[in-house]
Amino acid sequence: MSIPLALSTRQADSVVVLDFETTGLSPNLGDRTIEIGAVRLKNGQITDKFQSLMNPGIPISSFIESFTGISNEMLADAPSCKEVMNGFMNFLGETDVVAHNASFDRRFLESEMSLIQREYRGEFICSMLTARRVYQDAPNHRLGTLVAYKNISNEGVFHRALADAEMTALLWLGMLAEIKDEYGFDGISVELVRKLSRTPKKKVDKFLTKQSVKRE
DNA sequence: TGCCAGGCCCTCTTTAGGGCCTT
């Protein structure tokens, strides 16, 4: 008999929630990271944070300056991507990562890792794919919309890495709590959420009900 | 020369196209 997904060891409420600000959308086109923000969750509590600007060695566009509020002047005095990313990898270890539209942050993490000859061995989990299933009635699934939709506390700062990571962490914990309450899980594993985030929307209820029963 | 992300997901689908998300 297989181990129920909900009970496997890596728990979804003990992860690092990550957000990057970058020079653009694609590391394959030369874009780099300019800020990292991360929140460590342990058993559903925020226990640590990591934040730093980083100098990508290339100027950022006026669009990105306006979009993030991060200026070329601010980055001129920032430590290098290499220095910051080495520090972050020491912070992260092999802990699983949650990010909003995780494929984006994963691409940038992998790109920056390759530049410093380091490797990340954990899993990426996407809060956006999860929200599309848990909050199917939301107007859309942008981070800012979901924060307003669920009345998540915030300081009105968006598109800065730590602020976005903190809001994503609260959104994440809120989704886990709603799943637990509605389906009677004691805990929710990373594996269960990863399967949920690939489940067709119309089958979400059936999937969670089945996993909940399996747990008994 | 001109263009250039990429993965997911829905539908007027699967021999495809386009919107959503991230900066």
Side-chain angles (χ1 to χ4, degrees):
Chain A
M1 182 175 153
S2 63
I3 298 170
L5 283 176
L7 295 182
S8 64
T9 51
R10 286 156 47 235
Q11 288 294 300
D13 64 357
S14 296
V15 295
V16 166
V17 183
L18 169 66
D19 186 69
F20 281 121
E21 304 306 316
T22 69
T23 63
L25 292 173
S26 175
N28 287 339
L29 297 180
D31 287 318
R32 298 293 303 274
T33 54
I34 59 174
E35 188 183 36
I36 186 168
V39 173
R40 187 190 307 285
L41 299 179
K42 274 190 181 172
N43 301 318
Q45 302 292 319
I46 294 176
T47 59
D48 204 358
K49 296 178 183 179
F50 185 101
Q51 185 277 332
S52 184
L53 291 171
M54 49 190 135
N55 188 337
I58 53 175
I60 60 173
S61 68
S62 56
F63 170 77
I64 293 296
E65 284 191 317
S66 169
F67 188 73
T68 63
I70 298 168
S71 66
N72 281 295
E73 191 176 19
M74 291 162 70
L75 295 179
D77 295 330
S80 67
C81 293
K82 177 180 179 179
E83 182 179 343
V84 173
M85 293 310 299
N86 266 312
F88 176 68
M89 289 310 289
N90 294 337
F91 173 89
L92 177 62
E94 295 187 1
T95 310
D96 295 316
V97 163
V98 168
H100 204 68
N101 199 12
S103 65
F104 175 86
D105 296 279
R106 188 186 64 229
R107 283 198 300 279
F108 276 97
L109 183 71
E110 288 174 350
S111 173
E112 295 294 341
M113 288 303 92
S114 72
L115 293 173
I116 59 172
Q117 282 87 50
R118 290 189 70 159
E119 197 177 345
Y120 170 59
R121 297 171 190 274
E123 299 269 7
F124 265 83
I125 316 153
C126 183
S127 57
M128 184 189 74
L129 294 180
T130 308
R132 282 179 176 170
R133 284 153 181 83
V134 177
Y135 299 140
Q136 296 190 21
D137 294 334
N140 60 57
H141 297 87
R142 295 174 200 160
L143 179 59
T145 300
L146 292 168
V147 165
Y149 180 68
K150 299 308 294 182
N151 293 314
I152 290 169
S153 70
N154 68 89
E155 296 180 2
V157 177
F158 291 89
H159 306 304
R160 287 300 300 266
L162 185 59
D164 283 4
E166 287 173 332
M167 288 185 287
T168 302
L170 295 177
L171 171 70
W172 183 248
L173 292 175
M175 287 194 289
L176 295 181
E178 290 194 32
I179 295 170
K180 280 184 185 176
D181 287 349
E182 189 163 345
Y183 294 92
F185 291 113
D186 293 327
I188 298 178
S189 70
V190 167
E191 287 81 358
L192 188 146
V193 183
R194 283 177 63 86
K195 280 210 173 185
L196 171 64
S197 70
R198 299 278 188 254
T199 300
K201 286 182 185 176
K202 290 176 181 174
K203 296 184 178 177
V204 164
D205 182 63
K206 187 178 178 183
F207 169 77
L208 288 172
T209 300
K210 187 178 176 186
Q211 291 302 326
S212 181
V213 168
K214 244 184 172 179
R215 187 180 59 85
E216 302 296 336

